[in-house]
Amino acid sequence: MTTESVDVRRAAPRGAEERVAELYWEAFSGKLGAALGPAEAGRRFIAGHLHRDRAVVAVSGGRVVGVAGYQLAGRGLVGGDTAAVRAQYGQVRGLYRVFLLALLERTPARGELVMDGIAVDPAERGRGVGGLLLREIDAVAAEQGCRRIRLDVVAENPRARALYERHGFRAVRLQRTPWLRDVLGFGAVTTMHKEVER
């Protein structure tokens, strides 16, 4: 398996918003479904509020096959404030969705880049695309003067945690959230850190 045909780029290409939203939804619909579902509405919201400059993408054959989002300087991969959520989902139902999204919010500490997750096309998994994206995230963090990268991985995703560990992340905290299992689909979150080499 090779990544020779994969090109890693900073920022999602113009016109690729729907593709990035498709990949992101496929990877995180279990976590985002209650807040942004149903699927069509969730993909539309993500595509419409995508901050292309907060993405690192993998492109193969002219098609985006992977994306890693990150938060830095007050902006993450997906934007959209309370007004945007209520505009798409309605005034009353939108408020509940805003509450759910707030439960998922992670604000970077000073000198920290927070990852918003990695999504790789299922047909491309096992080729090293995730590793390429993580290496580029490392480079972004170093160039921005960050001292560490932080991410949260749900207990129900051991494959993602193994990928992060292979790339130098270490678990620093486990937060059990059994009350969120029925609402957001996960019952524990592990926070992981990686120190940035300069």
Side-chain angles (χ1 to χ4, degrees):
M1 309 218 180
T2 178
T3 56
E4 290 175 12
S5 63
V6 178
D7 180 31
V8 176
R9 304 175 187 172
R10 298 212 186 150
R14 288 197 184 280
E17 293 85 358
E18 288 183 13
R19 174 61 177 155
V20 169
E22 177 186 342
L23 289 171
Y24 205 70
W25 186 262
E26 192 278 329
F28 300 107
S29 61
K31 186 161 62 168
L32 296 174
L36 296 179
E40 183 180 324
R43 289 190 298 264
R44 186 171 61 247
F45 186 87
I46 292 167
H49 297 90
L50 194 72
H51 293 146
R52 295 181 319 101
D53 64 329
R54 290 299 186 259
V56 170
V57 297
V59 178
S60 180
R63 186 168 190 248
V64 174
V65 296
V67 59
Y70 61 92
Q71 291 185 46
L72 191 64
R75 294 177 67 225
L77 178 64
V78 181
D81 58 10
T82 298
V85 174
R86 293 179 78 182
Q88 178 161 328
Y89 295 97
Q91 294 300 314
V92 176
R93 285 182 288 160
L95 281 178
Y96 175 68
R97 293 167 187 269
V98 167
F99 169 73
L100 294 177
L101 290 169
L103 294 174
L104 299 171
E105 189 62 36
R106 296 159 296 148
T107 303
R110 185 177 177 87
E112 186 176 67
L113 180 147
V114 172
M115 286 192 55
D116 282 335
I118 289 182
V120 176
D121 186 318
E124 302 291 329
R125 291 178 188 159
R127 292 184 56 205
V129 173
L132 290 175
L133 293 169
L134 284 172
R135 283 192 284 283
E136 195 63 23
I137 289 287
D138 286 348
V140 169
E143 288 172 18
Q144 294 296 319
C146 296
R147 70 180 189 283
R148 78 174 174 214
I149 302 168
R150 175 170 58 100
L151 60 84
D152 293 321
V153 61
V154 297
E156 289 76 6
N157 195 349
R159 183 175 176 167
R161 179 172 172 161
L163 170 69
Y164 300 138
E165 288 174 339
R166 284 194 307 274
H167 287 272
F169 286 86
R170 60 182 176 76
V172 296
R173 183 178 69 241
L174 173 66
Q175 181 179 5
R176 298 192 188 282
T177 54
W179 58 91
L180 293 179
R181 185 179 301 281
D182 291 339
V183 179
L184 296 175
F186 59 90
V189 175
T190 299
T191 298
M192 303 183 82
H193 288 171
K194 181 178 182 180
E195 303 307 312
V196 175
E197 295 181 17
R198 298 185 194 186

